[in-house]
C-alpha cells in the first residue's frame, strides 16, 4: 500500500512537472504569432489584435477558427499542428489585452437580398476590400511604414474568413465600424439595417462562388529546379555568370556553400553559390511581402560530385505557398521562368 501511494505521488509529480513545462499562451503567441501581429498585439503584417475595437468586435470562436484554418491564399497561415489546449492558451493570451466583456454571436444566418447587397458592396466596399472581396494588396508593411499602423483591409472572399465569421459578426462590424482603422460604421454612412442585411447576404454568397485567380495558390511542379551541366565546375560558374547578365540581372558574387561556417582551408571548392539580383524585381517582391527578403538576393548552387556537375535552385513558385501569399504568384512565375532560362542557357 505504501509503495502504491509513493508511486501515485511520483506520477502526480511528473504530471505536474510536465504541465508546468508545457508552454503557456504568452510563449505560444511569441513563437507563432508575434512576428506578424506584434509582441504586444500592436500589429504589422498581421491584424493589431490588441486594438480595442477589434477585441470588442470578435468572439473567442472567431479567434479559434482563424488560428486553426488561417486565410488560404493570404498571409495568415493555418496552424493545424497546434493542439486544442494550445489554441485555447493563445486565445486566452490574446484576450488578456481585452478591456471589455467578451462578445458571442449567434450562428444563425441573416436573410437579405444579395443582389442589392452586391450593388452596395460595389459602392461602399470595393475601394478597400477589392472588387471581388479579395482584400487589399500587399502585407501593409514596408521598410518605411511603422508596424503599429492600421491593417490592410482583409479578404472577405476567403474560405478561412467565411468559416470563422458568422453573419452576426459581419453585421455588427458593418453597423459599428472598427475604430482605429479605415472601417467606418455603415449606419453613420446612411445605410439602413435592411441594407446591411443585404450586404451580409452578399458577402455570405462568396461561399458558393469560385475564388478568383488572386486567391488561388500557384503550385510548383517541383520545389527545386535542377539542370546537369556538360562542363566542369569552373566553366559552369562562368557560364551562369554570363547567362545572369543576359537575362537582365546583375552578377553579385560567387562563394562556397560553407563560406563563414568553416575555416577557409576546409571549405569544399566543389560546392559554390552564385548570387545575382534584379533591383526592379527585388523592390516589387519586397513591396508585396517583406519576408521574401530571406531568400534574396537570387542565387543558384553549383555542385560537382563524382565528375558530374549540377546547377540547382529553389523554385521561386514555392515562395507564394511558403508565405501563404497569392499576391506573389505572378512575380514568382516570372522568376521561375528567368531561373530556368538562366540555368538552361548555362548548361547548353
Amino acid at each position: 500500500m505504501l509503495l502504491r501511494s509513493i508511486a501515485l505521488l511520483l506520477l502526480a509529480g511528473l504530471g505536474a512537472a510536465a504541465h508546468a513545462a508545457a508552454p503557456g499562451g504568452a510563449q505560444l503567441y511569441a513563437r507563432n504569432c508575434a512576428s506578424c501581429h506584434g509582441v504586444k498585439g500592436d500589429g504589422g503584417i498581421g491584424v493589431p489584435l490588441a486594438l480595442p475595437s477589434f477585441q470588442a468586435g470578435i468572439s473567442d470562436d472567431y479567434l479559434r477558427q482563424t488560428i486553426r484554418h488561417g486565410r488560404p491564399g493570404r498571409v495568415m497561415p493555418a496552424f493545424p499542428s497546434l493542439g486544442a489546449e494550445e489554441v485555447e492558451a493563445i486565445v486566452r493570451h490574446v484576450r488578456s489585452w481585452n478591456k471589455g466583456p467578451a462578445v458571442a454571436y449567434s450562428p444563425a444566418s441573416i436573410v437579405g437580398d444579395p443582389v442589392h447587397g452586391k450593388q452596395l458592396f460595389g459602392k461602399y466596399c470595393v475601394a478597400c476590400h477589392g472588387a471581388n472581396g479579395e482584400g487589399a494588396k500587399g502585407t501593409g508593411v514596408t521598410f518605411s511604414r511603422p508596424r503599429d499602423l492600421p491593417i490592410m483591409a482583409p479578404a472577405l472572399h476567403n474560405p478561412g474568413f467565411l468559416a470563422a465569421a458568422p453573419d452576426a459578426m459581419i453585421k455588427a462590424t458593418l453597423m459599428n465600424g472598427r475604430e482605429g482603422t479605415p472601417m467606418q460604421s455603415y449606419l453613420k454612412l446612411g445605410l439602413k439595417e435592411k441594407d446591411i442585411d443585404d450586404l451580409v447576404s452578399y458577402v455570405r454568397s462568396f461561399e458558393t462562388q469560385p475564388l478568383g485567380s488572386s486567391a488561388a495558390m500557384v503550385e510548383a511542379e517541383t520545389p527545386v529546379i535542377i539542370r546537369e551541366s556538360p562542363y566542369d565546375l569552373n566553366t559552369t560558374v562562368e557560364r551562369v555568370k554570363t547567362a545572369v547578365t543576359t537575362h537582365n540581372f546583375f552578377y553579385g558574387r560567387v562563394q562556397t556553400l560553407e563560406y563563414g561556417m568553416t575555416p577557409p582551408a576546409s571549405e569544399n571548392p566543389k560546392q559554390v553559390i552564385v548570387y545575382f539580383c534584379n533591383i526592379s524585381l527585388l523592390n516589387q517582391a519586397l513591396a508585396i511581402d517583406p519576408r521574401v527578403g530571406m531568400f534574396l538576393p537570387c542565387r543558384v548552387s553549383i555542385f560537382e560530385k563524382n565528375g558530374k556537375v549540377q546547377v540547382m535552385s529553389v523554385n521561386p513558385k514555392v515562395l507564394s505557398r511558403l508565405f501563404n501569399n497569392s499576391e506573389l504568384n505572378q512575380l514568382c512565375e516570372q522568376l521561375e521562368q528567368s531561373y530556368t532560362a538562366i540555368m538552361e542557357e548555362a548548361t547548353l
Side-chain angles (χ1 to χ4, degrees), residues 24 116 128 142 209 217 250 296:
H116 182 230
C128 293
T142 67
Q209 300 174 25
M217 299 302 295
F250 72 81
L296 297 174

Side-chain angles (χ1 to χ4, degrees), residues 65-83:
Q65 295 296 326
T66 297
I67 294 168
R68 182 63 68 208
H69 302 294
R71 297 290 183 268
R74 300 287 284 181
V75 177
M76 174 68 190
F79 290 89
S81 62
L82 291 176

Side-chain angles (χ1 to χ4, degrees), residues 196-207:
I196 291 176
D197 287 347
D198 293 345
L199 265 171
V200 172
S201 182
Y202 174 63
V203 170
R204 184 57 61 188
S205 74
F206 289 152
E207 287 182 328

Side-chain angles (χ1 to χ4, degrees), residues 19-325:
H19 180 73
Q27 291 174 285
L28 288 164
Y29 177 87
R31 183 185 305 164
N32 296 286
C33 316
S35 60
C36 287
H37 293 283
V39 174
K40 297 181 179 180
D42 50 356
I45 290 176
V47 174
L49 300 173
L51 188 71
S53 62
F54 177 80
Q55 288 276 344
I58 53 100
S59 64
D60 286 358
D61 192 57
Y62 176 81
L63 290 173
R64 292 186 197 101
Q65 295 296 326
T66 297
I67 294 168
R68 182 63 68 208
H69 302 294
R71 297 290 183 268
R74 300 287 284 181
V75 177
M76 174 68 190
F79 290 89
S81 62
L82 291 176
E85 291 184 1
E86 292 175 308
V87 171
E88 285 302 314
I90 293 174
V91 170
R92 287 195 300 272
H93 179 69
V94 170
R95 281 305 193 188
S96 71
W97 298 317
N98 187 21
K99 306 302 181 184
V103 64
Y105 292 106
S106 165
S109 298
I110 288 176
V111 178
D113 178 3
V115 175
H116 182 230
K118 182 176 182 179
Q119 295 171 353
L120 293 171
F121 191 90
K123 182 176 181 180
Y124 292 98
C125 310
V126 297
C128 293
H129 292 281
N132 298 304
E134 66 272 17
K137 302 295 183 182
T139 62
V141 173
T142 67
F143 291 113
S144 61
R145 180 183 182 277
R147 291 181 60 85
D148 58 354
L149 290 181
I151 60 170
M152 305 296 284
L156 306 178
H157 194 161
N158 185 282
F161 171 79
L162 293 168
D167 287 2
M169 176 186 151
I170 299 172
K171 179 175 180 176
T173 303
L174 290 167
M175 293 182 71
N176 302 322
R178 189 150 288 166
E179 187 176 353
T181 79
M183 181 66 195
Q184 303 179 63
S185 163
Y186 279 31
L187 290 177
K188 292 181 179 179
L189 291 177
L191 272 67
K192 306 298 184 185
E193 186 172 354
K194 176 62 171 65
D195 296 325
I196 291 176
D197 287 347
D198 293 345
L199 265 171
V200 172
S201 182
Y202 174 63
V203 170
R204 184 57 61 188
S205 74
F206 289 152
E207 287 182 328
T208 62
Q209 300 174 25
L211 288 172
S213 59
S214 63
M217 299 302 295
V218 167
E219 291 286 354
E221 294 177 2
T222 174
V224 180
I225 304 170
I226 302 176
R227 295 292 184 272
E228 288 199 6
S229 174
Y231 309 102
D232 61 42
L233 185 136
N234 290 333
T235 302
T236 302
V237 168
E238 293 304 315
R239 290 182 66 87
V240 168
K241 289 161 62 175
T242 300
V244 160
T245 58
T246 300
H247 291 275
N248 297 317
F249 291 80
F250 72 81
Y251 160 69
R253 68 184 187 277
V254 175
Q255 67 182 45
T256 66
L257 179 67
E258 299 169 325
Y259 177 79
M261 296 183 287
T262 188
S266 301
E267 294 174 12
N268 185 348
K270 296 185 181 296
Q271 297 179 344
V272 301
I273 304 173
V274 179
Y275 290 93
F276 52 97
C277 189
N278 179 303
I279 297 298
S280 175
L281 292 177
L282 179 148
N283 287 332
Q284 289 179 52
L286 293 177
I288 295 171
D289 196 324
R291 296 173 298 172
V292 173
M294 292 188 291
F295 289 85
L296 297 174
C298 300
R299 68 202 70 172
V300 297
S301 300
I302 305 173
F303 296 164
E304 181 179 337
K305 185 177 181 180
N306 298 327
K308 293 184 178 181
V309 176
Q310 286 189 325
V311 183
M312 62 188 72
S313 74
V314 172
N315 188 333
K317 280 187 178 180
V318 172
L319 296 183
S320 60
R321 180 161 293 280
L322 176 65
F323 294 132
N324 198 44
N325 191 344

